[in-house]
Amino acid sequence: MLNKVILIGRLTREPELRYTPGGVAVARFTLAVDRPFTNKQGEREADFIDIVVWQKQAETCTQYLGKGRLVAVEGRLQIRSYDDSQGIRRKAAEVVADQVRFLDRPRDERQAPVAAARDTSTVAEPGFSEVNFTEDDIPF
């Protein structure tokens, strides 16, 4: 059996970070994913998919991602049931992310707190090694 989901979309809001009673980080955000067609009025439509990220990756997503950022999410679809405040049984579908890849750069300094504090001769992206270079290394 196979349960694998790959999505590319934009965050609809800032990720929300919480911790379990055991101290495990969990982040939630919603991803807007364009549909491959338009509606009758010629407008593009999107699906809004809830994403759950765990542990260190949850903290990294919260630190570097913000509303509007483009990401690829690879994970599994999970359907869970719960009772709402009126006692009605509900179901929720969400993607539990195994991997979140950042596909664009932050638009402003607030979304890149670590990169903004670094020297301009150092380039680092989350999930990649830091690269140091000098003007002599630039080929143009």
Side-chain angles (χ1 to χ4, degrees), residues 3-7 49 73-78 94-96:
N3 182 354
K4 186 142 184 121
V5 175
I6 299 173
L7 302 166
I49 302 166
V73 174
E74 184 177 336
R76 62 182 170 82
L77 180 63
Q78 174 176 284
E94 56 199 9
V95 172
V96 179

Side-chain angles (χ1 to χ4, degrees), residues 20-92:
T20 66
V24 179
V26 58
R28 293 180 175 275
F29 57 87
T30 301
L31 201 62
V33 179
D34 287 338
R35 292 182 178 169
F37 52 84
T38 59
N39 62 20
K40 291 179 183 179
Q41 292 80 24
E43 300 165 338
R44 296 218 44 144
E45 292 184 1
D47 291 302
F48 299 91
I49 302 166
D50 293 329
I51 309 294
V52 179
V53 187
W54 290 90
Q55 300 180 351
K56 178 66 177 162
Q57 188 168 222
E59 294 171 334
T60 303
C61 286
T62 303
Q63 183 177 5
Y64 290 99
L65 292 178
K67 182 178 178 178
R69 292 290 304 275
L70 184 66
V71 297
V73 174
E74 184 177 336
R76 62 182 170 82
L77 180 63
Q78 174 176 284
I79 310 296
R80 60 183 174 84
S81 298
Y82 66 96
D83 294 324
D84 69 9
S85 58
Q86 287 81 33
I88 300 171
R89 192 76 167 157
R90 304 273 186 189
K91 286 188 176 184

Side-chain angles (χ1 to χ4, degrees), residues 11-27:
L11 274 71
T12 62
R13 59 184 165 84
E14 306 292 321
E16 182 181 308
L17 179 66
R18 295 188 181 191
Y19 291 89
T20 66
V24 179
V26 58

